Amino acid sequence: MEYMESRIQDQIEAGFEHENELQKQFSLFRDWYLSIPDADETLVDWGLLDDRYNLLSPVDIVSAMWQGWKAARRV
């Protein structure tokens, strides 16, 4: 029983670490995107992230850029 509880706790902690890394990466991505001349801040708003950290930007290319960013960093 202790083994299972330990494994569950490990999974929970790994999930929190993964979420923190996704938040950090989105912040870095957002900063990078906003450094592009004439970038629209509303396309990379935090509120556009779903519960799995997919960007639901109204412009598909911006969402694809975020997917590429995550894939390149394996987050």
Side-chain angles (χ1 to χ4, degrees), residues 41-54:
E41 186 174 357
T42 63
L43 300 179
V44 289
D45 187 76
W46 282 93
L48 296 173
L49 289 174
D50 68 10
D51 60 343
R52 292 180 163 227
Y53 282 85
N54 294 313

Side-chain angles (χ1 to χ4, degrees), residues 7-65:
R7 294 286 296 153
I8 291 170
Q9 187 63 34
D10 290 346
Q11 291 286 330
I12 291 170
E13 289 173 8
F16 285 136
E17 288 175 24
H18 184 69
E19 183 176 11
N20 288 338
E21 183 61 26
L22 282 167
Q23 289 175 356
K24 175 183 162 195
Q25 288 302 320
F26 186 72
S27 182
L28 292 170
F29 168 76
R30 190 171 187 278
D31 290 344
W32 169 80
Y33 178 78
L34 293 175
S35 73
I36 298 171
D38 298 326
D40 184 352
E41 186 174 357
T42 63
L43 300 179
V44 289
D45 187 76
W46 282 93
L48 296 173
L49 289 174
D50 68 10
D51 60 343
R52 292 180 163 227
Y53 282 85
N54 294 313
L55 182 59
L56 305 175
S57 180
V59 177
D60 291 337
I61 191 69
V62 177
S63 296
M65 291 165 73

